């Protein structure tokens, strides 16, 4: 069996983990050390990165993270997942590639070459600070899937994120109906799941909205979970019927809070 056949088998395995009502839970990592910790946990089924945390760990704002900086992090993460330092990652690896950068096909080829079998792909155009027209966002998903097929991974898994609910350039964000329209189009274009980003200013996406999205997408929804009281838990999201749950930068933030707390405890003696 060729390496590419084996990589596509890994993509198939990853795709099959997305089961509405039995969601895949991704505890997003941001460097080789965190990837090693998560990979060793017996409940881990796949490794996912979070671009916000990848950027923050390098002292960069999320929207300033370049393709080369993102790829450098993916390369180190993929390396620790490979048996004996070579071959493919031993478990599926999906990476947050933001909006895919300027040449989305080239980006997909790059991450597949590093061993990834999936990615997040946003419909927000970071270079021009605007939401892409739906037709353009659909085309980019199609281009990404075509690039994956040409690279020998036809079952590559795209988690298509839409930022349509967010406020941009002083304009109010769209509605859940807009998110449903975009999400359905992205699934039709080849995405495996849809991630509807609510944003902190909006208060995220409500339980009722998640229920509507699950119904509209036949469960093929990714929800970003918040590790605070008052937010939906894994059992609750499972009951609603989502297919995928991610933590985004939640573990990074928790780690930094613990780091600061311990540092403060020591430095408090150093007047």
């Amino acid at each position: 069996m060729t390496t590419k056949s084996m990589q596509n088998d890994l993509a198939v395995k990853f795709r099959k983990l997305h089961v509405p009502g039995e969601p895949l839970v991704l505890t997003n990592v941001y460097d080789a050390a965190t990837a090693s910790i998560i990979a060793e946990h017996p409940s881990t089924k796949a490794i996912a990165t979070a671009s916000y945390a990848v950027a923050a760990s390098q002292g960069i704002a999320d929207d300033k993270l370049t393709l080369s900086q993102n790829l450098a992090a993916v390369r180190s993460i993929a390396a620790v997942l490979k048996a004996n330092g070579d071959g493919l990652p031993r478990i599926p690896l999906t990476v947050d590639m933001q909006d895919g950068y300027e040449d989305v096909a080239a980006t997909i080829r790059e991450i597949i070459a590093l061993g990834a079998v999936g990615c997040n792909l946003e419909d927000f155009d970071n270079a021009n600070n605007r939401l892409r027209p739906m037709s353009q966002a659909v085309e980019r998903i199609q281009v990404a899937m075509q690039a994956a097929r040409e690279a020998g991974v036809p079952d590559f898994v795209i988690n298509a994120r839409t930022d349509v609910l967010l406020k941009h350039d002083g304009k109010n964000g769209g509605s859940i109906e807009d998110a449903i329209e975009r999400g359905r189009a992205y699934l039709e274009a080849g995405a495996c799941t849809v991630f509807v980003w609510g944003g902190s200013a909006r208060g995220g996406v409500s339980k009722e909205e998640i229920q509507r999205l699950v119904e509209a997408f036949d469960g093929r929804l990714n929800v970003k979970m918040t590790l605070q009281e008052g937010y939906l838990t894994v059992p609750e999201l499972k009951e609603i019927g989502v297919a995928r749950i991610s933590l985004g930068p939640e573990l990074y933030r928790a780690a930094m809070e613990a780091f600061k707390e311990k540092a403060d405890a020591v430095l408090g003696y150093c007047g």
Side-chain angles (χ1 to χ4, degrees):
M1 184 178 292
T2 66
T3 301
K4 285 304 177 187
S5 296
M6 293 170 64
Q7 190 167 0
N8 194 61
D9 287 346
L10 206 57
V12 171
K13 178 181 179 180
F14 183 47
R15 185 174 286 268
K16 287 181 177 178
L17 292 172
H18 295 74
V19 180
E22 294 292 337
L24 169 65
V25 178
L26 296 168
T27 47
N28 303 72
V29 304
Y30 47 91
D31 60 13
T34 53
S36 296
I37 292 170
I38 297 301
E40 293 305 317
H41 195 285
S43 295
T44 295
K45 295 181 173 63
I47 296 291
T49 70
S51 69
Y52 179 98
V54 168
S57 68
Q58 299 180 48
I60 305 164
D62 191 18
D63 60 358
K64 301 299 183 183
L65 183 69
T66 66
L67 175 59
S68 61
Q69 289 166 331
N70 202 344
L71 288 174
V74 175
R75 187 172 293 107
S76 65
I77 289 166
V80 301
L81 300 178
K82 295 177 180 180
N84 302 318
D86 56 13
L88 293 171
R90 61 185 183 275
I91 55 177
L93 170 63
T94 183
V95 297
D96 185 347
M97 295 313 293
Q98 300 185 312
D99 65 351
Y101 301 93
E102 185 175 355
D103 186 339
V104 68
T107 297
I108 297 300
R109 289 193 293 268
E110 291 261 25
I111 61 174
I112 287 176
L114 294 175
V117 295
C119 76
N120 274 26
L121 190 61
E122 304 169 9
D123 61 5
F124 189 77
D125 181 351
N126 284 319
N128 296 296
N129 194 35
R130 65 180 179 88
L131 188 71
R132 295 183 189 276
M134 187 170 70
S135 59
Q136 185 182 98
V138 164
E139 182 182 11
R140 287 173 69 83
I141 292 171
Q142 293 170 333
V143 167
M145 287 304 300
Q146 180 60 32
R149 285 190 288 271
E150 292 172 356
V153 190
D155 290 289
F156 189 82
V157 177
I158 292 179
N159 183 42
R161 169 175 149 172
T162 179
D163 285 16
V164 71
L165 296 181
L166 304 188
K167 186 175 182 178
H168 301 297
D169 294 329
K171 298 178 182 177
N172 290 331
S175 65
I176 280 293
E177 287 73 22
D178 295 324
I180 288 172
E181 181 183 16
R182 280 182 175 254
R184 283 174 169 164
Y186 299 166
L187 292 170
E188 180 67 25
C192 177
T193 48
V194 174
F195 173 24
V196 178
W197 178 231
S200 57
R202 187 180 182 276
V205 181
S206 70
K207 179 178 180 179
E208 292 72 24
E209 289 171 332
I210 291 171
Q211 289 170 329
R212 288 193 60 190
L213 293 166
V214 164
E215 182 178 358
F217 302 153
D218 295 324
R220 293 177 291 173
L221 180 71
N222 179 106
V223 173
K224 187 264 177 186
M225 194 170 75
T226 300
L227 299 180
Q228 296 178 23
E229 288 189 16
Y231 288 88
L232 294 171
T233 63
V234 169
E236 290 170 330
L237 289 168
K238 179 178 180 179
E239 184 176 357
I240 293 172
V242 308
R244 173 165 162 160
I245 299 168
S246 56
L247 293 185
E250 292 290 311
L251 292 181
Y252 168 81
R253 288 172 175 152
M256 292 303 101
E257 287 173 7
F259 183 93
K260 185 177 184 302
E261 179 183 345
K262 295 297 184 183
D264 286 346
V266 173
L267 295 173
Y269 295 100
C270 307

